[in-house]
């Protein structure tokens, strides 16, 4: 049995190792000059390789494909991922939010462990091998590289990733291969990426906020809300809450974003606090009193959005103006102008349609064809979930390839 695996990322590398350890002849084709280019930059260079959770709780972090992924995640769990790397000699630590990292804080521990596992299990790794065409002729898969080389196999695994961060090699080639085999592809869109706003927020670029609530009301009535940290960028909103919301807004036609800068206080309590501050500094400029509530630039922006002159003396602020101030602090609105581009997106949402895949990620259309990792239409929030999806689907594919029985179709 010879397996060709296209893509030396998280999914392709693990799949190759598991097949080779079980006796298959495996060729891993990677277009870059090294494997794991994207893995290396994950988790800000620290690689958050999984979420330390039992499968049931893990699956709650999945945005698309939860039902489909159940079998793969229960068969190769976050504990299995940890055990794989610990067995390869990489000590791990679990941090806040169940995030698992190499104890060294270096993603290179993970990429090196995979490279070592590939070597030890006897996988033939071909670097600089860009698959340009994949086809099945007779019983064999035939792969042709962009410079005319050929490779044939009994089984083909497409683990080419999505379209995000294309500089790492994930340029969406797998979607083209899938379509050439008759598979449909759910439109890929950027996910875990900044939210662009129609309002110009460039003035606020770099301001980061803690303990805020960002709510998105999507055209059609659905509402999504996240509490935590947020960051203003030149073109919109980023940071954990914005990235999480992007997973729900990346297919939305339109949406309104509402930022609650003081979620711990009800409008009444916030009004009482403002009234108290005003009472203590009656002759001060409004901006100098509200400064205590917000970072400098945001303070000025907020007053402008509330239609309040920053230099107005506090003792001349009317009750209606104070109401506007409180309302803007609780509900600073932004018009959603779409999500950021693939170049900045942590993952791609969409991909090979799950309806034509078995739970082991085998094609229902072409015998011996498999898909693993981000190329399929499954994705999750940040926190190690997406790498675990890559590992679980890779292991499911390897198990199916190596099972004596022919895959259930
Ligand atoms: C900045 C950033 C940080 C991230 N941090 C985390 C994190 O901490 N935790 C987490 O869980 N997830 C994280 N992710 C997401 C995670 O990296 C991906 O979900 C995961 O790498 C997907 O693995 P994959 O093997 O499916 O695809 P990839 O890792 O994208 O690998 C695909 C491989 O296929 C190769 N390839 C593509 N086309 C061809 C072709 N035609 N021929 C040959 N080779 C080809 C590519 O060069 C690439 O090496 C992060 C993503 C980014 C961009």
């Amino acid at each position: 049995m010879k397996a060709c695996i296209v893509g030396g990322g998280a999914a392709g590398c693990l799949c190759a190792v598991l097949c080779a350890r079980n006796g298959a002849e495996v060729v891993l084709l990677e277009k870059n000059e090294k494997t794991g280019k994207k893995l290396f930059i994950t988790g800000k260079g620290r690689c958050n390789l999984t979420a330390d959770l039992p499968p049931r709780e893990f699956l709650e972090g999945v945005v698309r494909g939860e039902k489909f992924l159940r079998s793969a995640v229960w068969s190769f769990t976050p504990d299995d991922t940890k055990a794989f790397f610990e067995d390869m000699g990489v000590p791990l630590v679990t941090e806040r939010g169940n995030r698992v990292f190499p104890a060294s804080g270096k993603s290179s521990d993970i990429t090196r462990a995979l490279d070592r596992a590939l070597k030890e299990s006897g996988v033939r790794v071909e670097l600089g091998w860009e698959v340009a065409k994949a086809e099945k002729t007779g019983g064999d898969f035939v792969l042709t590289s962009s410079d005319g080389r050929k490779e044939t196999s009994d089984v083909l695994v497409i683990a080419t990733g999505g379209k995000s961060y294309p500089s790492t090699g994930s340029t969406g080639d797998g979607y083209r291969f899938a379509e050439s085999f008759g598979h449909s592809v759910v439109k890929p869109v950027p996910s875990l990426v900044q939210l662009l706003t129609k309002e110009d927020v460039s003035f606020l670029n770099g301001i980061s906020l803690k303990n805020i609530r960002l709510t998105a009301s999507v055209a059609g009535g659905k509402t999504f809300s996240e509490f935590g940290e947020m960051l203003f960028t030149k073109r919109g909103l980023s940071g954990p809450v914005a990235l999480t919301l992007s997973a729900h807004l990346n297919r939305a036609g339109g949406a309104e974003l509402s930022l609650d800068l003081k979620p711990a206080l009800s409008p009444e309590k916030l009004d009482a606090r403002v009234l108290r501050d005003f009472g203590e500094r009656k002759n001060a400029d409004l901006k100098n009193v509200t400064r205590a509530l917000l970072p400098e630039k945001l303070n000025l922006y907020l007053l402008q959005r509330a239609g309040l002159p920053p230099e107005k003396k506090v003792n001349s602020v009317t009750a209606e103006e104070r109401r506007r101030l409180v309302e803007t602090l609780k509900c600073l609105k932004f018009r959603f102008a779409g999500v950021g581009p693939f170049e900045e997106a942590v993952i791609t949402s969409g991909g090979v349609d799950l309806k034509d895949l078995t739970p082991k990620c085998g094609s229902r259309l072409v015998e011996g064809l498999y898909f693993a990792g981000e190329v399929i239409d499954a994705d999750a929030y940040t926190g190690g979930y997406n790498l675990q999806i890559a590992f679980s689907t890779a292991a499911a594919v390897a198990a199916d390839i190596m099972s004596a029985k022919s895959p259930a179709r």
Side-chain angles (χ1 to χ4, degrees):
M1 148 87 69
K2 180 180 172 188
C4 265
I5 299 178
V6 186
C13 289
L14 185 73
C15 189
V17 169
L18 297 180
C19 288
R21 279 183 181 174
N22 285 289
E25 179 190 350
V26 184
V27 184
L28 179 66
L29 303 170
E30 166 55 53
K31 69 175 162 188
N32 287 328
E33 69 293 348
K34 58 181 178 187
T35 55
K37 213 168 167 182
K38 183 173 277 178
L39 252 178
F40 184 69
I41 60 162
T42 55
K44 299 196 170 100
R46 296 177 61 220
C47 186
N48 176 196
L49 65 154
T50 186
D52 201 357
L53 290 168
R56 197 182 304 278
E57 286 170 49
F58 175 88
L59 287 160
E60 287 169 14
V62 172
V63 179
R64 287 172 72 85
E66 185 270 335
K67 208 168 163 196
F68 175 85
L69 290 171
R70 281 180 203 169
S71 153
V73 170
W74 276 94
S75 305
F76 194 86
T77 67
D79 274 349
D80 292 322
T81 297
K82 285 166 58 190
F84 176 88
F85 286 102
E86 281 166 345
D87 288 350
M88 288 304 300
V90 183
L92 304 173
V93 287
T94 301
E95 297 187 0
R96 191 167 56 92
N98 310 303
R99 291 167 189 254
V100 181
F101 294 92
S104 65
K106 289 184 184 150
S107 60
S108 54
D109 276 11
I110 299 299
T111 53
R112 281 208 207 106
L114 282 171
D115 280 344
R116 219 171 42 250
L118 287 166
K119 200 168 172 199
E120 285 169 7
S121 59
V123 174
R124 172 155 65 91
V125 179
E126 295 285 349
L127 301 173
W129 219 104
E130 181 178 33
V131 176
K133 196 168 160 195
E135 56 199 328
K136 194 171 187 189
T137 50
D140 288 344
F141 289 97
V142 180
L143 301 174
T144 310
S145 74
S146 44
D147 56 5
R149 285 174 284 172
K150 300 253 185 226
E151 196 70 60
T152 57
S153 63
D154 309 305
V155 162
L156 174 63
V157 183
I158 295 176
T160 45
K163 285 179 86 169
S164 56
Y165 272 66
S167 55
T168 62
S170 330
T171 48
D173 299 9
Y175 307 137
R176 185 163 49 82
F177 303 145
E179 282 170 341
S180 74
F181 284 116
H183 279 265
S184 42
V185 171
V186 175
K187 188 180 173 219
V189 292
S191 195
L192 306 184
V193 65
Q194 69 167 318
L195 306 173
L196 307 177
T197 58
K198 289 188 180 158
E199 289 77 11
D200 179 5
V201 293
S202 55
F203 174 67
L204 303 172
N205 184 26
I207 293 179
S208 104
L209 302 171
K210 282 192 173 141
N211 303 326
I212 55 85
R213 178 167 287 285
L214 187 62
T215 303
S217 307
V218 180
K222 270 198 171 171
T223 296
F224 303 95
S225 193
E226 286 294 318
F227 174 82
E229 292 177 31
M230 201 201 84
L231 174 76
F232 283 100
T233 68
K234 278 188 195 148
R235 297 193 295 149
L237 317 179
S238 190
V241 298
L243 296 198
T244 299
L245 288 180
S246 74
H248 299 286
L249 298 185
N250 50 16
R251 287 188 169 76
E256 188 179 66
L257 305 169
S258 167
L259 176 60
D260 184 348
L261 291 155
K262 299 288 164 197
L265 299 176
S266 65
E268 295 72 27
K269 283 209 170 119
L270 182 58
D271 188 46
R273 154 96 196 259
V274 169
L275 206 55
R276 192 193 67 207
D277 291 354
F278 281 12
E280 284 168 4
R281 302 182 63 195
K282 287 193 178 80
N283 295 317
D285 288 355
L286 180 57
K287 68 173 184 201
N288 292 335
V289 179
T290 51
R291 184 186 282 165
L293 293 166
L294 296 169
E296 178 81 34
K297 283 183 176 172
L298 183 57
N299 180 31
L300 293 176
Y301 180 81
L302 185 107
L303 292 175
Q304 182 212 327
R305 290 288 306 273
L308 300 170
E311 268 87 35
K312 186 162 188 164
K313 295 293 172 211
V314 159
N315 58 17
S316 66
V317 172
T318 65
E320 162 55 20
E321 286 172 329
R322 204 181 71 238
R323 189 198 58 74
R324 269 203 330 260
L325 174 64
V326 170
E327 188 181 280
T328 314
L329 278 164
K330 290 292 293 173
C331 189
L332 181 57
K333 287 199 161 45
F334 296 98
R335 287 164 298 155
F336 174 62
V339 294
F342 280 115
E343 282 70 18
E344 297 169 9
V346 172
I347 54 151
T348 302
S349 168
V352 177
D353 199 330
L354 305 179
K355 76 175 184 339
D356 291 325
L357 298 182
T358 69
K360 301 276 190 190
C361 301
S363 166
R364 292 186 195 275
L365 311 178
V366 180
E367 180 93 41
L369 175 65
Y370 292 86
F371 297 89
E374 203 173 314
V375 71
I376 69 168
D377 181 20
D379 63 83
Y381 297 125
T382 55
Y385 295 93
N386 288 294
L387 280 173
Q388 181 62 44
I389 291 175
F391 295 137
S392 290
T393 53
V397 168
D400 206 45
I401 291 175
M402 300 317 298
S403 72
K405 285 185 262 156
S406 66
R409 296 189 197 284

